[in-house]
Amino acid sequence: MLKRFRSAFSAFHHKEHYISHEQEIAGKKYVIREISTDDIKDLLQLEREVYAGETPWPRSAFLTELCSRYNHLYLCVLYQNKIVAFVGGRVFFDDAHITHIAVHPDFQKSGIASFLLQEIEAFAYRQRCQTLSLEVRISNIDAKRLYRKSGYEAKKRLANYYRKGNEDALYMVKRVE
Ligand SMILES: CC(C)(COP(=O)(O)OP(=O)(O)OC[C@H]1O[C@@H](n2cnc3c(N)ncnc32)[C@H](O)[C@@H]1OP(=O)(O)O)[C@@H](O)C(=O)NCCC(=O)NCCS
C-alpha cells in the first residue's frame, strides 16, 4: 500500500532528467535523448514515413503528452542528426503506460524498439512502478510479437478501441522487476 502511495505521489513530482548519450545498436551509432516540443515537426514527419502518410498522433497529442503533469519519459533516437525512432511512457499510480513507439521503416528489425522498451522499463523501475502496460492493434502482428518477446502478456481485448477502422486493441501488461 505504501509502495502504491509513493508511486502515485512520484507521478506528480521530480521529473527526472534523462542524460543524452551515444548508443551502438546492431553496429550503428545513434544518439538517444529526451524529446522536446521543438521536435514535434520532425516527429510528425517520422510518423508519416512510418504510417504511410498518416499521423496517428497529431501535434496536439504530442504537446499534451510532453507538457503533461504526470511523470513521463519521451525519448528519440537520432541517426546522423535525423530522428529515426521514438518512444513515450507516462506514469499513472504504479503503472508506466507506453503511449507510443515507432521506428522508421529503414531502421526496423535492428533492435531499436527493443532498446527503447528497455529504457522505458528502467524508467518504470526508477519510478517504483509495479507494472508496464500498453495497447496494440489486434492486426499489428509485428508489434504484438515484439511485446510478447519483451515479456508483455495479453490481459484483455478492448472492443472498438481505435476510432480509425473501429479496430479492437489488445491490452498487454508486464511486471516491473
Ligand atoms: C513495431 C516496431 C516499433 C518494432 O520496431 P523494431 O525496431 O523493428 O523492433 P526490433 O528491431 O527491436 O524487433 C523487431 C524484430 O527484429 C529482430 N531484430 C532485432 N535486432 C536485429 C538484428 N540486429 N538483426 C536482425 N534482426 C533483428 C527482432 O528479433 C525482432 O524479430 P521478430 O520480428 O522475429 O520478433 C516497428 O515495426 C514500427 O515502428 N512499426 C510501426 C509503428 C507501430 O506499429 N508501432 C507500435 C504501435 S503499438
Side-chain angles (χ1 to χ4, degrees), residues 26 50-51 101-103 108-111 113-114 140 145 147 149:
V50 171
Y51 295 101
I101 184 165
V103 178
Q108 290 177 7
K109 298 204 180 290
S110 58
S114 305
N140 197 340
R145 196 172 47 242
Y147 298 142
K149 261 191 183 174

Side-chain angles (χ1 to χ4, degrees), residues 6-43:
R6 274 208 239 112
S7 311
F9 190 70
S10 78
F12 298 99
H13 289 271
H14 44 256
K15 165 97 181 68
E16 72 168 41
H17 177 64
Y18 182 91
I19 297 166
S20 307
H21 59 99
E22 262 196 9
Q23 179 74 37
E24 189 166 319
I25 304 172
K28 279 196 172 124
K29 278 197 179 140
Y30 300 93
V31 170
I32 319 293
R33 67 158 170 80
E34 261 193 272
I35 289 174
S36 83
T37 50
D38 293 341
D39 295 316
I40 294 178
K41 196 166 161 254
D42 293 342
L43 293 168

